[in-house]
Amino acid sequence: MSENALEIRGLCKGYPGFALKDVSFAIPRGYVMGLIGPNGAGKTTIVKLIMNLVSRGAGEVEIFGLDSLEHEAEVKSRIGFVYDEACFPLDATPRDLGRAIGPFYPGWSNERYRGLLGEFDLPESGKLKKLSHGMQMKLALALALSHDADLILMDEPTAGLDLGFRRELLDHLSAILQDEGKSVLFSTHVTSDLERIADFVTFINDGELVFTLPKDELRDEWGIVKGNGSLPEQLAGLPIRGVRRGPYGVEALVADAAAARERCGKDVVVDRATLDDVMVFMTRGENDVDAR
């Protein structure tokens, strides 16, 4: 039995003006992987390739050790998919959707579905056109979880939701994951959501894999170093991941904050790096620095 819920190797896909280039990463069973990157980085392309919604140029996708093309029906029966828009008939009701979708999944449970509708405060008989965007996203999550899926794919599920609704949705998701040990790929550019639930983070930029790391390593070891104009020289040889220059000094993202603090002492200020910091420095900062 494979130790990974999802493993992709050498994934490639070309479009006019954009190419996904040789992306590889894996999600261990029972963990949450955050897939981050700016808009247009390739996150949605990766999710569509995993679901075989578009043809791949090259590469392999394995889900619970099974090839996703050779065993497509079997692996899809174990996936719950939540897209950024709930593409349901607006005149349908949650009850209608359960009756229509349930027969396609061997593991579907009407009892579970109705329980999730109640937990999410969703009316079984209310038409979807009367539900807010946030309520429709909760409905999509209820549908994804009602066939006992082992792998949940979420593509920008909190986009467009206000902070309160995002937190409520994430709290529901966290409770379910903690109780049942599901595996999740959570694609988003709202990195604060991942600070709450992710175990690992994979960063994609311009179609290329930048890194895939445990979130705790990013949280505990990476940092923002603030100093004067000589800061890059002071940090020479340390793992600098990006530099930003401003009117009052220089900031550098480093992958070893403790080493930077030891090297520079009181000459600098070292703050913990958030996922937002990582994205900003690695996409908008200077990259012509020593990043060994």
Side-chain angles (χ1 to χ4, degrees), residues 24 39 56 71 86 88 162 194 218 235 242 245 253 274 277:
S24 302
N39 288 330
R56 67 190 73 156
H71 302 275
F88 305 131
D162 63 45
L194 298 180
L218 291 168
L235 298 175
R245 302 178 189 273
L253 173 69
T274 66
D277 292 327

Side-chain angles (χ1 to χ4, degrees), residues 78-155:
R78 302 177 66 182
I79 294 175
F81 185 38
V82 181
Y83 197 51
D84 62 343
E85 292 289 341
C87 302
F88 305 131
L90 294 181
D91 283 328
T93 67
R95 182 183 291 116
D96 295 334
L97 291 179
R99 290 171 175 170
I101 293 172
F104 288 95
Y105 292 97
W108 179 269
S109 167
N110 284 320
E111 182 179 355
R112 179 180 176 84
Y113 179 55
R114 295 184 67 185
L116 286 168
L117 292 180
E119 184 178 339
F120 293 164
D121 294 320
L122 291 167
E124 290 188 45
S125 58
K127 291 191 175 182
L128 271 61
K129 61 186 176 184
K130 295 183 178 180
L131 299 182
S132 67
H133 175 60
M135 297 297 279
Q136 289 188 27
M137 294 312 298
K138 284 186 175 182
L139 175 59
L141 182 58
L143 288 164
L145 295 171
S146 293
H147 63 277
D148 198 29
D150 296 308
L151 173 64
I152 312 297
L153 301 182
M154 309 183 76
D155 187 21

Side-chain angles (χ1 to χ4, degrees), residues 24-276:
S24 302
F25 65 85
I27 305 174
R29 289 175 183 253
Y31 289 89
V32 179
M33 172 73 78
L35 181 62
I36 67 171
N39 288 330
K43 302 186 301 296
T44 293
T45 297
I46 291 172
V47 174
K48 287 182 176 180
L49 288 167
I50 293 169
M51 290 294 293
N52 296 330
L53 298 178
V54 295
S55 60
R56 67 190 73 156
E60 299 176 328
V61 177
E62 286 191 357
I63 298 171
F64 296 105
L66 299 174
D67 182 270
S68 68
L69 289 174
E70 185 178 351
H71 302 275
E72 184 169 13
E74 181 178 351
V75 298
K76 281 189 174 180
S77 71
R78 302 177 66 182
I79 294 175
F81 185 38
V82 181
Y83 197 51
D84 62 343
E85 292 289 341
C87 302
F88 305 131
L90 294 181
D91 283 328
T93 67
R95 182 183 291 116
D96 295 334
L97 291 179
R99 290 171 175 170
I101 293 172
F104 288 95
Y105 292 97
W108 179 269
S109 167
N110 284 320
E111 182 179 355
R112 179 180 176 84
Y113 179 55
R114 295 184 67 185
L116 286 168
L117 292 180
E119 184 178 339
F120 293 164
D121 294 320
L122 291 167
E124 290 188 45
S125 58
K127 291 191 175 182
L128 271 61
K129 61 186 176 184
K130 295 183 178 180
L131 299 182
S132 67
H133 175 60
M135 297 297 279
Q136 289 188 27
M137 294 312 298
K138 284 186 175 182
L139 175 59
L141 182 58
L143 288 164
L145 295 171
S146 293
H147 63 277
D148 198 29
D150 296 308
L151 173 64
I152 312 297
L153 301 182
M154 309 183 76
D155 187 21
E156 299 284 2
T158 58
L161 302 183
D162 63 45
L163 179 60
F165 235 125
R166 292 209 325 265
R167 287 189 174 176
E168 185 181 356
L169 189 66
L170 291 171
D171 286 343
H172 280 301
L173 181 61
S174 296
I176 292 166
L177 295 175
Q178 186 173 12
D179 288 345
E180 302 182 18
K182 305 297 186 183
S183 305
V184 180
L185 178 65
F186 192 123
S187 167
T188 185
H189 67 279
V190 185
T191 56
S192 58
D193 291 344
L194 298 180
E195 301 276 3
R196 297 169 63 84
I197 66 170
D199 300 298
F200 297 89
V201 177
T202 292
F203 180 25
I204 303 290
N205 189 37
D206 195 25
E208 297 189 44
L209 177 70
V210 180
F211 64 71
T212 182
L213 293 169
K215 186 190 70 178
D216 287 349
E217 179 177 330
L218 291 168
R219 182 190 63 192
D220 297 339
E221 298 182 16
W222 290 45
I224 304 296
V225 185
K226 303 176 181 180
N228 58 33
S230 66
L231 183 62
E233 288 74 27
Q234 290 178 276
L235 298 175
L238 296 183
I240 304 175
R241 299 299 184 238
V243 171
R244 302 193 78 193
R245 302 178 189 273
Y248 304 107
V250 177
E251 297 180 333
L253 173 69
V254 298
D256 191 340
R261 188 178 290 109
E262 182 178 355
R263 167 84 62 86
C264 301
K266 296 180 179 180
D267 292 339
V268 301
V269 173
V270 182
D271 294 331
R272 175 174 288 178
T274 66
L275 292 179
D276 273 341

